Amino acid sequence: MPMQVFGAHTLVCGAGGFIGGHLVNRLIEEGAASVRAVDVKPLDEWYQKNPRAENLVLDLQTKEACMTAAEGMEAVFQLAADMGGMGFIENNKALCMLSVLTNTHMLMAARAHGVQRFFYSSSACVYNADKQKDPNVVALKEEDAYPALPEDGYGWEKLFSERMCRHFLEDYGLETRVARFHNVYGPQGTWTGGREKAPAAVCRKVLEAKASGKHEIEIWGDGHQTRSFMYIDDCTKGVVAIYQSDIVEPINLGSSELVTINQLVDVAEELAGVKLKRIYNLTAPKGVNGRNSDNTLILDRLGWEPGIKLRDGLARTMEWIEQQMLTGVTTTR
């Protein structure tokens, strides 16, 4: 029988982050009995704080903090991780891999406290890099994670933690659910400082170029690399649906709307009403050449897939970033 979040005492790890903050809001709206929101950042650095949640500052890399966080909880959503955009991931491999401590200790704490179900946020970075060399990529199916050749550092940690979830299910009976996120974006996210992802970075660069009158934009790579981008509302809807489902294997959670980075810039320029000269930085981190989400499994199992169009989501994101810029907000959180 599906495990509902309605009425459950729920823990969100990484609640001070972009996706975590939005997820806390959705869980409260959907009737969780209580939501305990936990993050390592000081409260004034959280992306969002919901006053209806119990907001705690804890370092979940330690087992003791995880035990404190999981006490009395029935549902755990484990989103806590050190991560960012491609520039951050490629230059902080050890830091990314240390997130394995958080997931391992949270699994141990969930088991010790009798948690009913444990959701883990994995990433499309787990997929075999050999299948992502061509911008005209064939959409990635869940089985394409093996034989293993994930993104170095961050991807390896995510794939290892997926296996930990699997074995805690098999060996200890802890109900685990795993979703592989594909490039989540939207308002309230990181948009400057080095950890931002492509949609936010492009929105910021386009707005800065328009405001300054210097109509140029630097693009990392040749602009032909392809991605799909999932709007935050689709992400949190999918997280709750996968948590409540009987899907025990890792599953894609991403948009199947494939675009090149050049096309992403096209949309941002159109929304801002500006046309920019493009300067391609071929030495900058750019990740794999092509990646898209094959949504066959999620459509089959849930009858749903992320469907908010890039142009619609980017319009909301750009509007929010412009508001931050106009009000002088510079925090990178």
Side-chain angles (χ1 to χ4, degrees):
M1 176 134 181
M3 168 66 186
Q4 303 294 316
V5 294
F6 310 111
H9 296 288
T10 305
L11 169 65
V12 177
C13 309
F18 165 50
I19 302 174
H22 281 280
L23 181 60
V24 166
N25 295 340
R26 180 176 285 272
L27 292 170
I28 288 172
E29 290 166 5
E30 298 211 1
S34 67
V35 175
R36 179 176 293 159
V38 176
D39 204 283
V40 68
K41 294 185 289 293
L43 282 170
D44 60 2
E45 294 180 16
W46 286 29
Y47 288 39
Q48 300 180 73
K49 290 186 293 291
N50 192 310
R52 296 167 63 188
E54 177 190 7
N55 299 306
L56 301 179
V57 176
L58 293 170
D59 183 358
L60 296 178
Q61 285 197 0
T62 70
K63 184 179 177 183
E64 294 75 19
C66 290
M67 288 294 180
T68 298
E71 185 175 2
M73 296 293 101
E74 297 166 300
V76 171
F77 291 84
Q78 188 347 51
L79 282 70
D82 252 318
M83 59 87 64
M86 191 48 60
F88 179 83
I89 288 172
E90 288 200 3
N91 293 305
N92 295 275
K93 293 184 176 71
L95 193 61
C96 288
M97 291 200 76
L98 283 171
S99 295
V100 74
L101 295 173
T102 300
N103 200 54
T104 302
H105 288 145
M106 273 311 313
L107 281 165
M108 295 171 71
R111 180 191 175 212
H113 285 294
V115 165
Q116 295 178 23
R117 189 162 291 183
F118 183 102
F119 173 91
Y120 176 60
S121 61
S122 186
S123 165
C125 288
V126 303
Y127 283 113
N128 188 310
D130 283 346
K131 295 180 180 290
Q132 303 172 76
K133 290 181 175 180
D134 190 336
N136 300 310
V137 66
V138 175
L140 294 161
K141 292 180 177 291
E142 284 77 5
E143 59 263 30
D144 290 332
Y146 296 94
L149 188 62
E151 191 87 45
D152 197 12
Y154 179 72
W156 276 109
E157 187 278 323
K158 288 293 187 183
L159 193 62
F160 176 83
S161 291
E162 284 189 6
R163 303 295 291 193
M164 287 287 287
C165 289
R166 172 178 173 172
H167 297 313
F168 266 69
L169 171 63
E170 292 172 342
D171 294 357
Y172 304 129
L174 174 61
E175 285 285 333
T176 56
R177 300 292 182 267
V178 176
R180 292 173 178 161
F181 290 178
H182 288 247
N183 296 310
V184 188
Y185 73 99
Q188 305 292 337
T190 301
W191 58 277
T192 187
R195 290 188 186 233
E196 67 274 19
K197 295 189 175 183
V202 167
C203 286
R204 187 198 75 243
K205 289 179 179 181
V206 168
L207 290 168
E208 287 174 342
K210 181 180 180 180
S212 69
K214 185 179 180 182
H215 287 186
E216 295 180 352
I217 184 171
E218 181 186 74
I219 296 174
W220 288 8
D222 60 13
H224 296 301
Q225 62 268 37
T226 52
R227 295 290 188 277
S228 67
F229 300 100
M230 173 173 53
Y231 190 66
I232 183 62
D233 291 357
D234 272 341
C235 179
T236 56
K237 180 178 180 178
V239 166
V240 173
I242 291 166
Y243 171 88
Q244 293 179 163
S245 77
D246 59 358
I247 305 168
V248 296
E249 66 270 26
I251 187 168
N252 281 333
L253 181 56
S255 168
S256 58
E257 183 186 358
L258 187 69
V259 296
T260 66
I261 298 302
N262 278 328
Q263 289 170 329
L264 175 65
V265 177
D266 289 343
V267 175
E269 286 178 336
E270 180 189 341
L271 290 168
V274 68
K275 196 69 180 172
L276 307 176
K277 177 184 177 182
R278 301 182 185 190
I279 300 168
Y280 296 96
N281 185 347
L282 301 181
T283 64
K286 69 181 185 67
V288 297
N289 287 324
R291 177 182 294 153
N292 194 16
S293 178
D294 185 303
N295 288 347
T296 303
L297 184 58
I298 195 169
L299 280 166
D300 178 61
R301 301 296 294 274
L302 297 181
W304 172 87
E305 66 174 323
I308 296 172
K309 295 298 183 184
L310 177 63
R311 193 187 189 286
D312 297 333
L314 207 66
R316 299 173 209 169
T317 305
M318 180 173 280
E319 181 181 5
W320 179 81
I321 291 174
E322 187 170 27
Q323 289 171 354
Q324 304 307 297
M325 295 171 69
L326 289 172
T327 54
V329 175
T330 58
T331 179
T332 60
R333 289 176 293 199

